[in-house]
Amino acid sequence: MRTPIAFGRILLTTGTAARAQGNLIIYADSLTNAFQDWSWASHSLNNTSPVHTGNRSISVSANVWQAISFEHGNFDVAPYASFTFWVNGGSGGGQQLQVYAQYGNNSGPAYVLPSPLAAGSWQQVSIPLSTLGVANAPDFNRINIQLRNDGTSGTFYVDDIQFTTRTVPEFVNVNVDATQPIR
């Protein structure tokens, strides 16, 4: 039950739950939320096997320094904590990937995945936006997953790409001293 409490011209309602913004999906069977494919690697957004979830994944047959890339008009990433995706090394594995983000006319630092991709199995990658140099960027516009030169080549697969939201505290306490003016 919500109980309104009046303090002069301020009305507080107790028991009101704040709702967090949901994850921002980039790819789940297709590109969503106005993201566009700006990749410069050979790839397919309609791969049917293997897939992590759903019916499709992205197959990538990149040469060194080529990438899959997803562009969006400038937007504020402040509600999000990390960039997350699932990746599979295909039949051979051994690919070494890096991820970097772009904002405005700038690029954040590249994050190199800590180990080469495993053959034939899906693994989740979650990178804090602070690591990518774009935490709270009001003008984020592009994310890139790139094949480095220190691993193997060969087709790999990517699925379930998204920005995940920040954790919202369960309760927020607000104290108001009714004897003091509030402006």
Side-chain angles (χ1 to χ4, degrees), residues 23-78:
N23 293 342
L24 179 63
I25 297 171
I26 298 171
Y27 179 90
D29 282 347
S30 64
L31 288 175
T32 62
N33 293 311
F35 280 91
Q36 297 178 19
D37 181 6
W38 282 27
S39 303
W40 65 95
S42 179
H43 68 289
S44 171
L45 298 174
N46 295 307
N47 179 67
T48 57
S49 180
V51 298
H52 178 254
T53 61
N55 298 312
R56 293 186 194 93
S57 67
I58 303 170
S59 64
V60 184
S61 297
N63 292 318
V64 173
W65 302 121
Q66 289 183 335
I68 55 171
S69 179
F70 307 105
E71 191 276 342
H72 190 289
N74 287 352
F75 72 97
D76 188 356
V77 292

Side-chain angles (χ1 to χ4, degrees), residues 19-25 33 79-82 162-166 168:
R19 301 285 180 225
Q21 180 169 341
N23 293 342
L24 179 63
I25 297 171
N33 293 311
Y80 306 101
S82 59
Q162 64 185 333
F163 289 105
T164 56
T165 57
R166 296 183 184 277
V168 177

